[in-house]
């Protein structure tokens, strides 16, 4: 019997130990899970060869990082660089320099660029006027290099070098600390056969940026120019309609709904590929109130064109994980709220990112409500969500002060007038006391007039304080 009891205890110990070991093993496996494992577990056929060199996912409203892997690796983004050129085009439109209906008359150089086989382009005919709207579609849907050059030249009146400097200046302004641009389209300047040649800019240099910097750029592009997705979401579109120059453009973003890797909610932004950069992907997708931005860089190798599809498998997989884990939602309503046992009044609704099925932890700091999510900001220039508040008790005390109530404004004004008179009278009495001051043999006699003046001043101050906090005293 005793032996049997000992054996039962040993078996129970082994079972319990095995159970908790399994939990710890599962936890460690999840913690160590990388983008390749996540993508394979999502059902996509891929392998180590195609694993991205860098990636990041951020929430589009707050700029908070939901996933990152080597986000500060410097990389050639290829045609994703067009997003910076488009940003400057939208900015020029906002500044009133031209409109979407403004036309750009194609030059001989533009036509020559459009005929370079090695570059991604659309058809351009010298002397024909192309609307800015259509050139934006060509840039973002077809990834047209010539359309990008035409737009850049419109912004700067054909000062090609100036546009490059504008790109770099804007990168610094937006907080893109690891980015340098040498061309407007993502294609090496030397590939344009001399038809596009920014003066003083290295023709053989590739643009350099990081996953983080491209996420920052995409954040500001969508925030400041939300219509961007109108130009990045079409699977197919015809430009120059009803003219002899009509052309059908095809989108290379295969994660758009209806294409090979169609993803629910995807509506942009831009793909890019090159011999030195491999296959890259900047994407955005929205589900309910949550919009995400992701950057995937360096998928596969230029020699293996399968990377063009594989980048979407990785992008879809980390989108799935982020959408499943986090949500952007309204967390507090404008007006009265109880936060950390304090009664507060919020100036507006409070929105933020939280893990699904969790309760947010709020902080009251100075006059702001913030939230402790454990998530970092993609850039120090992009602040975490916050909302202004007032403590309800203090506000109530002020509201009870009659000077805030319309029905007793006259009494408040009258009271403050009397309080002021007391202070002024006290000052006058103190001044008069000096005229009657009598000194004897090195000593100064007590002056009742001076004492009266001080009392009048103190009374005026005390009654003013009473009026502010409680209300009129008469």
């Amino acid at each position: 019997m005793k032996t049997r009891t000992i054996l039962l205890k040993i078996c129970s110990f082994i079972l319990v130990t095995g159970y908790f070991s399994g939990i710890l093993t599962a936890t460690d496996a999840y913690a160590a899970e990388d983008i390749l494992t996540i993508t394979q577990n999502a059902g996509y056929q891929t392998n180590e060869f195609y694993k991205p060199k860098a990636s990041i996912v951020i929430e589009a409203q707050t700029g908070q990082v939901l996933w990152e892997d080597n986000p500060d690796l410097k990389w050639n983004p290829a045609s994703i660089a067009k997003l910076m050129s488009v940003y400057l085009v939208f900015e020029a439109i906002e500044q009133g320099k031209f409109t979407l209906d403004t036309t750009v008359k194609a030059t001989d150089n533009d036509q020559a660029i459009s005929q370079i086989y090695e570059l991604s382009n659309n058809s351009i005919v010298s002397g024909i006027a192309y609307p800015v709207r259509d050139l934006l579609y060509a840039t973002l849907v077809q990834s047209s290099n010539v359309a990008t050059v035409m737009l850049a030249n419109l912004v700067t009146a054909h000062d090609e070098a100036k546009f490059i400097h504008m790109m770099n200046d804007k990168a610094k302004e937006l907080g893109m600390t690891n980015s340098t641009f040498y061309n407007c389209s993502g294609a090496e300047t030397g590939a344009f056969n001399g038809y596009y040649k920014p003066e003083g800019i290295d023709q053989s240099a590739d643009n350099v940026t990081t996953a983080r910097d491209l996420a920052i750029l995409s954040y500001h592009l969508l925030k400041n120019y939300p219509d961007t997705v109108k130009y990045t979401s079409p699977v197919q579109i015809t430009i120059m309609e009803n003219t002899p120059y009509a052309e059908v453009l095809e989108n290379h973003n295969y994660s758009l709904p209806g294409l090979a890797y169609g993803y629910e909610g995807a509506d942009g932004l831009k793909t890019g590929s090159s011999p030195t950069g491999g296959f890259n992907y900047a994407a955005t997708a929205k589900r309910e109130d949550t919009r995400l931005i992701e950057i995937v860089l360096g998928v596969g190798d230029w020699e293996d064109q399968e990377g063009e599809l594989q980048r979407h498998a990785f992008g879809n997989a980390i989108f799935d994980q982020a959408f499943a884990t986090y949500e952007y939602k309204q967390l507090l309503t404008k007006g009265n709220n109880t936060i950390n046992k304090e009664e507060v009044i919020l100036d507006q609704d409070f929105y933020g990112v939280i893990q699904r099925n969790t309760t947010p932890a709020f902080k009251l700091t100075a006059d702001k409500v913030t939230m402790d999510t454990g998530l970092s900001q993609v850039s120090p220039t992009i602040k975490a969500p916050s909302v202004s508040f007032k403590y309800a008790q203090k506000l109530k005390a002020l509201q009870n002060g009659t000077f805030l109530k319309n029905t007793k404004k006259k009494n408040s004004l009258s009271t403050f007038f009397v309080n002021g008179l007391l202070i002024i009278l006290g000052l006058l009495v103190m001044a008069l006391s000096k005229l009657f001051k009598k000194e004897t043999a090195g000593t100064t006699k007590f002056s009742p007039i001076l004492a009266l003046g001080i009392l009048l001043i103190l009374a005026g101050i005390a009654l003013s304080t009473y009026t502010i906090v409680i209300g009129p005293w008469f």
Side-chain angles (χ1 to χ4, degrees), residues 21-37:
S21 295
I23 291 177
L24 292 173
T25 301
T27 303
D28 288 342
Y30 180 78
E33 199 173 40
D34 64 7
I35 191 170
L36 178 60
T37 306

Side-chain angles (χ1 to χ4, degrees), residues 122-123 125 128 130 134 237-249:
N122 66 300
S123 298
V125 178
I128 301 303
Y130 294 83
D134 285 13
I237 193 167
T238 301
I239 62 171
M240 299 295 286
E241 280 194 292
N242 304 317
T243 75
Y245 310 99
E247 183 178 8
V248 178
L249 307 179

Side-chain angles (χ1 to χ4, degrees), residues 22 46 71 95-96 105 129 203 209 217 294 343 357 374 399 402 437:
T46 189
Q95 293 168 352
K105 188 175 181 180
Q203 289 192 60
T209 187
L217 171 59
E294 72 177 2
E343 296 295 325
N357 304 315
Q399 288 173 335
T402 312
K437 184 171 65 173

Side-chain angles (χ1 to χ4, degrees), residues 187-201:
E188 185 183 286
T189 305
F192 287 84
N193 298 338
Y195 295 112
Y196 167 70
K197 190 177 179 181
E199 187 177 350
I201 306 297

Side-chain angles (χ1 to χ4, degrees), residues 287-360:
R287 292 183 177 180
E288 297 178 341
D289 293 330
T290 305
R291 177 177 284 282
L292 304 181
I293 294 167
E294 72 177 2
I295 309 296
V296 177
L297 298 179
V299 174
D301 186 278
W302 178 256
E303 298 300 324
D304 181 354
Q305 291 295 303
E306 178 66 18
E308 184 177 18
L309 298 176
Q310 289 285 325
R311 61 188 170 192
H312 297 284
F314 289 104
N316 289 359
I318 56 176
F319 258 166
D320 271 345
Q321 177 172 278
F323 274 120
T325 307
Y326 300 97
E327 62 180 332
Y328 176 81
K329 61 188 292 187
Q330 180 179 327
L331 302 173
L332 296 170
T333 58
K334 178 181 178 180
N336 295 322
N337 290 269
T338 301
I339 299 176
N340 301 335
K341 299 181 180 180
E342 292 279 1
E343 296 295 325
V344 297
I345 301 173
L346 271 60
D347 290 351
Q348 60 190 42
D349 295 336
F350 182 78
Y351 288 81
V353 177
I354 60 169
Q355 286 196 37
R356 294 184 182 275
N357 304 315
T358 63
T359 301

Side-chain angles (χ1 to χ4, degrees), residues 121-404:
N121 282 312
N122 66 300
S123 298
I124 292 293
V125 178
S126 181
I128 301 303
Y130 294 83
V132 168
R133 180 182 287 103
D134 285 13
L135 292 175
L136 281 169
Y137 279 120
T139 298
L140 294 171
V141 173
Q142 187 74 16
S143 197
S144 169
N145 289 296
V146 64
T148 310
V149 170
M150 291 170 71
L151 288 170
N153 283 335
L154 174 63
V155 172
T156 61
H158 287 269
D159 189 337
E160 296 169 339
K162 179 180 179 180
F163 192 83
I164 304 304
H165 293 308
M166 288 176 64
M167 294 176 75
N168 288 305
D169 289 343
K170 184 57 63 175
K172 291 178 182 177
E173 179 186 323
L174 298 180
M176 300 169 64
T177 57
N178 288 302
S179 298
T180 305
F181 294 97
Y182 296 93
N183 59 74
C184 67
S185 72
E188 185 183 286
T189 305
F192 287 84
N193 298 338
Y195 295 112
Y196 167 70
K197 190 177 179 181
E199 187 177 350
I201 306 297
D202 188 348
Q203 289 192 60
S204 62
D206 288 322
N207 294 326
V208 177
T209 187
T210 66
R212 182 187 303 280
D213 279 5
L214 289 175
I216 293 169
L217 171 59
S218 300
Y219 166 88
H220 287 290
L221 184 59
L222 293 176
K223 179 181 179 181
N224 296 331
Y225 309 108
D227 281 350
T228 297
V229 294
K230 175 182 177 181
Y231 299 93
T232 61
S233 59
V235 170
Q236 185 183 87
I237 193 167
T238 301
I239 62 171
M240 299 295 286
E241 280 194 292
N242 304 317
T243 75
Y245 310 99
E247 183 178 8
V248 178
L249 307 179
E250 304 282 346
N251 206 315
H252 301 291
N253 181 356
Y254 299 126
S255 286
L256 290 173
L259 296 184
Y261 283 76
Y263 190 82
E264 179 189 348
D267 51 8
L269 296 161
K270 189 77 189 68
T271 60
S273 58
S274 71
T276 57
F279 295 92
N280 310 307
Y281 183 37
T284 182
K286 184 178 181 181
R287 292 183 177 180
E288 297 178 341
D289 293 330
T290 305
R291 177 177 284 282
L292 304 181
I293 294 167
E294 72 177 2
I295 309 296
V296 177
L297 298 179
V299 174
D301 186 278
W302 178 256
E303 298 300 324
D304 181 354
Q305 291 295 303
E306 178 66 18
E308 184 177 18
L309 298 176
Q310 289 285 325
R311 61 188 170 192
H312 297 284
F314 289 104
N316 289 359
I318 56 176
F319 258 166
D320 271 345
Q321 177 172 278
F323 274 120
T325 307
Y326 300 97
E327 62 180 332
Y328 176 81
K329 61 188 292 187
Q330 180 179 327
L331 302 173
L332 296 170
T333 58
K334 178 181 178 180
N336 295 322
N337 290 269
T338 301
I339 299 176
N340 301 335
K341 299 181 180 180
E342 292 279 1
E343 296 295 325
V344 297
I345 301 173
L346 271 60
D347 290 351
Q348 60 190 42
D349 295 336
F350 182 78
Y351 288 81
V353 177
I354 60 169
Q355 286 196 37
R356 294 184 182 275
N357 304 315
T358 63
T359 301
F362 297 104
K363 291 182 179 180
L364 300 177
T365 307
D367 63 341
K368 298 287 185 183
V369 178
T370 59
M371 186 171 58
D372 185 8
T373 62
L375 299 173
S376 63
Q377 297 299 122
V378 68
S379 167
T381 63
I382 301 172
K383 302 302 180 184
S386 66
V387 62
S388 299
F389 79 95
K390 296 180 179 67
Y391 286 102
Q393 290 183 345
K394 291 182 180 179
L395 184 60
K396 185 176 180 180
L398 289 173
Q399 288 173 335
N400 286 337
T402 312
F403 72 97
L404 291 177

